[in-house]
Amino acid sequence: METRSRRRKLSLFILCAFLTVPFTRAAAYTDADLRLAVAENEKEGRLAEFRDNETTLKLKLEVLDLINENRARHGMSALKLDILASRVASKTASEASKGDYYGHWNLRGEKPYHRYAFAGGMDHVMENASMIQGGGPMTKDYRQVLSFIKRTHMMMYNETPPNDGHRRNILLPSHTHVGLGFSMIENRFRYYELFIDRYLDFDAVPAAVKAGEKATVSGTVTVPGYGVFFATVYYEPFPEPMTPSQIRGMGGYPDFTNARAANLPYWQIDYDDASRKFSFNFPTARPGLYYVHIYIKKGHTGKEPPSSVSTAGLSPVSGIVIRAD
């Protein structure tokens, strides 16, 4: 059996000079979009201390319009604003501005997929990060914050190969949602985009198990015409604390590790094409974190006979992290 998982080092960070010229664009979101965002924001109970108010939701919907406008130029589908991912992005930005660092790690040594999973997220996530630093104290004026965000986003969107990791992330076809977060303290502005691939509805997945036990992942494929094709489980040690200088010295983050705890082709996954429900388990041989990538494939029913398998050209659609103690 041939197995190949898509391995990526996500070089998605940009450092920006201090900018002052305003950037304006007419908003395209509707009042119904805002009311829906407000309702979802009120319903979401996780990371409540980073809950947006109506003003910041309006700002994020304006930025979402710009992101979707850029994606539309390339025939990509429009994204929806994700509330939990926005709170994760806001927490990340707040910690980075307070700690005077920038990048994809935090002081706890966590990467983007750790932070999203530890907050309760289960979908696959890819992060863009940017910052502005310099000049005098910044003001939290709506138009200035919007200007900062739009300008840093456009700098990422306008990247050219080979240094175009942010742009490729913005335009990745598999994305369905995005979370947006920013923080401004003194002369430090931090901005994060968390792009989400949401194609699965998960059952209750354990956040932690006892090392040596099996962990079970189950759920339902929510997009018609696709079936669960493959799952890879990566092992990694628990994150270790980092200093601001260490974080500033890091570049892109790897969306995988070199240690695989399990490779599960479709014939080792319980999948029913009629109900689109799936289930599988894997061992946790030692303490640490187990990061689960699930791949779905168009036209796959799960009833095909075993054969060679490749995940080339497929994107993972899960970002589950299970702790084994």
Side-chain angles (χ1 to χ4, degrees):
M1 177 184 70
E2 177 193 356
T3 62
R4 181 173 56 175
S5 181
R6 228 179 125 186
R7 297 195 161 201
R8 294 171 293 196
K9 186 169 184 181
L10 305 180
S11 300
L12 308 174
F13 179 78
I14 187 166
L15 174 67
C16 300
F18 185 74
L19 302 169
T20 59
V21 179
F23 182 102
T24 59
R25 186 188 302 268
Y29 71 88
T30 66
D31 185 65
D33 295 328
L34 177 59
R35 298 274 68 81
L36 177 61
V38 169
E40 291 178 344
N41 192 45
E42 289 300 315
K43 183 179 179 181
E44 177 58 71
R46 293 168 291 186
L47 291 184
E49 63 272 33
F50 294 96
R51 184 192 305 270
D52 283 303
N53 57 35
E54 186 165 324
T55 299
T56 54
L57 284 175
K58 289 179 179 178
L59 186 151
K60 292 181 180 183
L61 288 172
E62 284 202 60
V63 177
L64 179 64
D65 286 340
L66 176 60
I67 292 172
N68 284 334
E69 180 179 312
N70 288 335
R71 285 177 60 88
R73 290 193 183 101
H74 303 269
M76 300 295 106
S77 60
L79 306 181
K80 297 180 180 179
L81 184 69
D82 186 81
I83 298 300
L84 178 61
S86 291
R87 293 184 186 177
V88 174
S90 294
K91 180 180 179 181
T92 301
S94 176
E95 292 178 343
S97 59
K98 289 177 181 178
D100 194 15
Y101 62 85
Y102 47 83
H104 295 292
W105 281 260
N106 62 17
L107 295 175
R108 296 178 296 279
E110 298 166 348
K111 292 187 285 187
Y113 62 84
H114 293 142
R115 297 190 289 268
Y116 182 62
F118 293 163
M122 297 185 187
D123 310 296
H124 188 250
V125 60
M126 294 175 65
E127 180 180 88
N128 277 357
S130 64
M131 60 92 77
I132 297 172
Q133 187 149 337
M138 300 175 180
T139 61
K140 295 184 179 180
D141 174 76
Y142 183 99
R143 300 313 303 178
Q144 183 180 61
V145 173
L146 184 61
S147 169
F148 285 169
I149 293 176
K150 287 190 171 184
R151 284 184 175 274
T152 55
H153 172 80
M154 288 305 297
M155 288 183 70
M156 293 188 284
Y157 170 73
N158 288 326
E159 290 173 344
T160 57
N163 300 312
D164 61 341
H166 298 91
R167 178 184 173 87
R168 286 185 282 109
N169 192 18
I170 292 167
L171 299 178
L172 197 65
S174 61
H175 294 331
T176 59
H177 295 70
V178 65
L180 306 172
F182 66 91
S183 178
M184 179 184 290
I185 297 178
E186 297 177 348
N187 68 340
R188 301 187 296 274
F189 181 83
R190 304 292 186 265
Y191 170 62
Y192 287 83
E193 298 173 339
L194 267 64
F195 291 92
I196 304 295
D197 302 329
R198 180 165 298 150
Y199 297 86
L200 305 174
D201 183 14
F202 290 97
D203 300 328
V205 175
V209 298
K210 184 177 180 180
E213 294 180 346
K214 288 186 175 181
T216 299
V217 175
S218 63
T220 305
V221 180
T222 59
V223 55
Y226 283 76
V228 175
F229 182 67
F230 199 87
T232 298
V233 182
Y234 296 99
Y235 167 82
E236 58 188 291
F238 297 120
E240 296 184 355
M242 299 176 69
T243 65
S245 61
Q246 284 177 315
I247 298 172
R248 287 193 291 264
M250 303 292 285
Y253 68 97
D255 189 33
F256 56 87
T257 69
N258 292 322
R260 297 195 188 192
N263 278 327
L264 300 169
Y266 57 84
W267 59 88
Q268 294 180 11
I269 297 172
D270 184 12
Y271 176 67
D272 177 61
D273 191 51
S275 64
R276 300 202 291 274
K277 293 185 178 296
F278 67 90
S279 178
F280 61 86
N281 58 57
F282 58 88
T284 61
R286 50 182 169 161
L289 301 180
Y290 292 80
Y291 179 38
V292 182
H293 276 184
I294 298 173
Y295 296 85
I296 60 175
K297 188 175 182 180
K298 189 173 184 178
H300 186 70
T301 66
K303 301 183 184 301
E304 294 82 354
S307 63
S308 62
V309 174
S310 172
T311 58
L314 302 179
S315 296
V317 294
S318 70
I320 293 168
V321 177
I322 297 176
R323 178 186 179 100
D325 295 295

